[in-house]
Amino acid sequence: MGEKNRSMQSSRVYFFLLLVCTCRLASGQLFGNVSYTNPILDQQGADPWVIRYEDHYLMTFTLNDNITIYRSQSLTNWNNASTKLVFDPPEGEAYSYSLWAPELHEIDERWYIIFTANADNESPPPETDMLCDYTCPAVSHRMFVLESSGSDPWESNYSLKGQLDTYDQFAIDGTYFQHPTGLYHVYSCWYDKYTSWPANLCVTKLSNPWTVSTPLSQRTILSVPTLPWEKTPYGRPTNNRLSSNEGPQQLTNPHNPNRTYIIYSAARSDNRNYCLGQLELVGQDPMNVNDWRKTIEGPVFYQNALEEAYGVGHASFTTSPDGRENWIVYHGMSDPLGGWRARTIRAQRFEWGDDKDGGDPSFPRPGYGPYRVPSGQV
């Protein structure tokens, strides 16, 4: 009996140790930090932009009152990241308030931060607001550009280079679209200054990163939120207010550089229905709306209610440290009733299709993990 009891006790101990090891492996505590969970930053955050530069990642996101660059060797843990304040605007300027969605781009051996800002802190005078079809607190939003002092994005200082011409009309979430035919500005726009919603995707050509060369008559509207999933809430007979196409980002297939996309955000950014849509450039002219193909079957990345991952959107794209994997960095919320303040920054690996032309991006279902860390991350 004693021998049998000892055997049973040993089996229980073995089972307990196996269970402990399994749990630790799932939480990344065994054999090094092999996994992570979302969010990747333990604070509120939205509109993340992440790139890899040399042996670090650099990130910017919406802080509203300034622009700060974060630097980390880890893509999936930013809690101990270094920070560098690069722009702290004075009051009373056209760019003093509501600094949104800064992005850091390398163009011709300099670094440019393109960002949205506002002159009136979301409170336009009644004489302006009354001209809008709907209430329009963002009517004064425009696009601005900072330029680096050198070729290193972290070591450089940044100065205001200028305002991008959006014809004195609403403009948010601007990005650079780099193409063999030139440099372009893709941003979220209204039809005209006071139409308000919907917010569409517009494109203009640039002669340099801070100068628009396209007259208003030649500005192209690439996408309008006409599909049900681009509107919030679903099902209204008239549903333009806060229906949006915004947050555009260029994404090029690494296996076939002739396949390039704009992944954009749709619906309303403060609730559960925020999601990602897709445009592909199937022709040669980014300014020709007929050279773009829109995925109309549904969003390519959207809420996962089973895991309480809501309002997922405004993404950027990067790679693992060894360059072997593709990663999407985005914001989302666990509380769909919390509004804009409920958003946090998350990251997940994504794949590319395997057809003869290189395939479309294939995004995962959003969630919290644990997930395996990026390949090559220490």
Side-chain angles (χ1 to χ4, degrees), residues 12-41:
R12 292 191 187 101
V13 171
Y14 173 78
F15 178 76
F16 175 75
L17 290 175
L18 181 62
L19 181 63
V20 169
C21 289
T22 302
C23 292
R24 286 184 176 179
L25 183 61
S27 62
Q29 296 174 5
L30 187 68
F31 306 129
N33 187 21
V34 298
S35 68
Y36 75 97
T37 58
N38 280 322
I40 58 175
L41 177 64

Side-chain angles (χ1 to χ4, degrees), residues 31 81 194 265 329 332:
F31 306 129
Y194 301 112
S265 301
V329 184

Side-chain angles (χ1 to χ4, degrees), residues 124 126 128-139 190-191 193-199 231 236-243:
T128 299
D129 188 69
M130 71 180 182
L131 298 173
C132 295
D133 292 349
Y134 302 95
T135 300
C136 54
V139 67
W190 293 340
Y191 283 114
K193 188 169 183 176
Y194 301 112
T195 296
S196 304
W197 317 102
K231 300 171 178 288
R236 280 183 177 170
T238 301
N239 197 13
N240 281 333
R241 184 173 184 268
L242 291 178
S243 294

